[in-house]
Amino acid sequence: MAYDGAIQRLIDAFASLPGIGPKGAQRIAFYMLSASEEEAQRLADAVLDAKHNIRFCEICGNVCETSPCTICSDPRRDRSMICVVEEPKDVMSIERTREYRGLYHVLGGTINPMANIGPNDLSIPKLLDRLKDGSVKEVIVALNPNIEGEATTTYLSRLLTPLELKVTRLASGLPVGGDLEYADEITLSRALAGRRDV
Amino acid sequence: MAYDGAIQRLIDAFASLPGIGPKGAQRIAFYMLSASEEEAQRLADAVLDAKHNIRFCEICGNVCETSPCTICSDPRRDRSMICVVEEPKDVMSIERTREYRGLYHVLGGTINPMANIGPNDLSIPKLLDRLKDGSVKEVIVALNPNIEGEATTTYLSRLLTPLELKVTRLASGLPVGGDLEYADEITLSRALAGRRDV
């Protein structure tokens, strides 16, 4: 039993998005039907607009409307630091801390032999290009702390250390507001190994 | 800190939908950016298409592309029964059981004095019109078992009983696969009151 054509197509379109199941898609579809014409138009426009106007920054690989992106072209940013992240959304996560004023480099993924993704499928050659002129003094590798992220971090650190650069990575440890009782062993041993003077 | 214009507009558009939070909206937006042009077009088309083509059935109030809807115009349906539901999606829930072959009537809400919704804001007068010719023998009130649903069920049963109709409601009790231990007291007392011979 399915809905009439257009409703079912709408439900299917929403259900194909990540994180939306069939019930959620149905709920959104009925919400759209009762929403105003303008709201429907706004959603449709936003989707097409983003597809047509968003590109990747030719320098760092971040998503942007103008290339180079607003970060790469901002003269107030510290050009001696590059923070290497996996995805464009990681740039925004780090920007939200308001602690980092350097540049970024988006790899577009991590090294993953199972998925047949090697260093040359990522923007690692482009990163090496950016480091050539010697103006960058520190590279912060800020990849996700999972197996692929660790492997890529190790690969990058081996690749970059000979270049007389400071190569750092994000600290691992207990999340703020976390609980010793619920921390897994690996996180806890990382937190121990990285202990600091009070 | 926000994204460049078009990305932020896309995230905001998704975040305004029910059941999608800011993180989910960001995830969907980045998914759309990496999706194919066709997929983006399909989503935009589905939204506008549904807005333009979907109407409400003039008889039962269900959503449909043709009015009367496919159920009201199906000669194989049993025209002596009307199942009263709150929303169009409830029609689909009951259709999925494949047990009911009668007609429907969508109220479009429930009586809710707090939200200033009275009987005349719902399609109750239309329901009475449909019952006038005496061809309907049973009305099944299938509203959600919450306060507003109960109040509306009571209101409808008082309104319809004088019409020499059988007025029934869905059984309350333990959900199949449920657990006595986790059933709330009201559900359990309904299940007891409605106990049946084995």
Side-chain angles (χ1 to χ4, degrees):
Chain A
M1 201 66 218
Y3 288 93
D4 265 15
I7 310 178
Q8 193 59 48
R9 279 198 300 280
L10 184 61
I11 295 176
D12 292 344
F14 282 120
S16 72
L17 300 176
I20 302 184
K23 292 264 175 185
Q26 177 181 294
R27 189 170 159 214
I28 296 171
F30 277 104
Y31 169 82
M32 287 307 312
L33 290 180
S34 61
S36 66
E37 186 76 32
E38 290 78 52
E39 194 164 350
Q41 192 69 52
R42 190 161 61 236
L43 177 64
D45 287 349
V47 170
L48 296 179
D49 236 45
K51 273 315 265 189
H52 295 144
N53 295 333
I54 300 301
R55 62 202 74 196
F56 293 96
C57 170
E58 67 206 53
I59 298 174
C60 71
N62 192 9
V63 289
C64 53
E65 282 186 285
T66 52
S67 179
C69 70
T70 47
I71 294 176
C72 286
S73 54
D74 184 345
R76 292 166 303 176
R77 309 284 307 205
D78 179 355
R79 281 162 199 282
S80 70
M81 294 172 98
I82 288 186
C83 178
V84 177
V85 294
E86 188 177 329
E87 301 282 353
K89 59 179 170 250
D90 300 329
V91 171
M92 199 46 56
S93 300
I94 293 179
E95 283 295 282
R96 276 201 208 95
T97 68
R98 296 169 188 273
E99 295 283 342
Y100 179 70
R101 300 298 303 162
L103 303 176
Y104 290 93
H105 192 80
V106 179
L107 286 188
T110 43
I111 296 172
N112 186 349
M114 302 285 281
N116 224 351
I117 301 175
N120 292 326
D121 300 317
L122 308 174
S123 65
I124 292 178
K126 223 169 179 176
L127 174 64
L128 294 177
D129 270 357
R130 289 180 74 184
L131 300 175
K132 261 183 193 156
D133 68 357
S135 63
V136 175
K137 303 299 175 206
E138 180 175 357
V139 172
I140 305 173
V141 184
L143 303 177
N144 291 319
N146 52 29
I147 295 177
E148 291 82 19
E150 294 293 310
T152 312
T153 303
T154 309
Y155 178 85
L156 281 176
S157 86
R158 283 194 197 152
L159 196 69
L160 302 181
T161 313
L163 302 183
E164 295 189 14
L165 278 169
K166 197 172 162 194
V167 181
T168 55
R169 56 178 299 171
L170 295 184
S172 273
L174 292 174
V176 176
D179 200 320
L180 276 184
E181 186 180 352
Y182 297 111
D184 62 289
E185 306 88 81
I186 302 175
T187 302
L188 206 49
S189 49
R190 288 271 177 87
L192 261 177
R195 66 190 180 279
R196 299 170 54 166
D197 292 328
V198 182
Chain B
M1 202 64 219
Y3 288 94
D4 264 16
I7 310 178
Q8 193 59 47
R9 279 198 300 280
L10 185 60
I11 295 177
D12 292 344
F14 282 120
S16 72
L17 300 176
I20 302 184
K23 293 263 173 185
Q26 178 181 295
R27 189 171 159 212
I28 295 172
F30 277 104
Y31 168 82
M32 286 308 312
L33 290 180
S34 61
S36 65
E37 187 76 32
E38 290 78 51
E39 195 164 350
Q41 192 69 52
R42 190 160 63 235
L43 178 64
D45 287 349
V47 170
L48 296 178
D49 235 46
K51 274 314 266 190
H52 295 142
N53 295 333
I54 299 300
R55 62 203 74 195
F56 293 97
C57 170
E58 67 205 52
I59 299 174
C60 70
N62 192 9
V63 289
C64 53
E65 282 187 284
T66 52
S67 179
C69 71
T70 46
I71 294 177
C72 286
S73 55
D74 185 345
R76 292 164 304 175
R77 308 286 305 206
D78 178 355
R79 281 161 198 284
S80 70
M81 292 173 99
I82 288 184
C83 178
V84 177
V85 294
E86 190 176 326
E87 301 283 353
K89 59 179 168 248
D90 301 329
V91 170
M92 199 47 55
S93 300
I94 294 181
E95 283 294 283
R96 275 200 209 97
T97 67
R98 296 170 189 273
E99 295 283 340
Y100 178 71
R101 300 299 303 163
L103 302 176
Y104 290 93
H105 192 80
V106 179
L107 287 187
T110 44
I111 296 172
N112 187 347
M114 302 285 281
N116 224 352
I117 301 176
N120 292 325
D121 301 314
L122 308 175
S123 66
I124 292 179
K126 222 169 179 176
L127 174 63
L128 293 177
D129 269 359
R130 290 180 73 184
L131 300 174
K132 259 184 192 156
D133 69 357
S135 62
V136 175
K137 304 300 177 206
E138 181 174 357
V139 172
I140 303 173
V141 184
L143 302 178
N144 289 320
N146 53 27
I147 295 177
E148 292 82 20
E150 294 292 311
T152 312
T153 302
T154 308
Y155 178 86
L156 281 177
S157 87
R158 283 193 195 151
L159 196 70
L160 302 181
T161 312
L163 303 182
E164 294 189 14
L165 277 169
K166 198 171 161 192
V167 181
T168 56
R169 58 177 299 169
L170 295 184
S172 273
L174 293 175
V176 177
D179 200 318
L180 276 183
E181 187 181 352
Y182 296 111
D184 63 290
E185 307 88 81
I186 302 176
T187 301
L188 205 50
S189 49
R190 289 272 178 86
L192 260 176
R195 67 189 179 278
R196 299 169 55 165
D197 292 330
V198 182

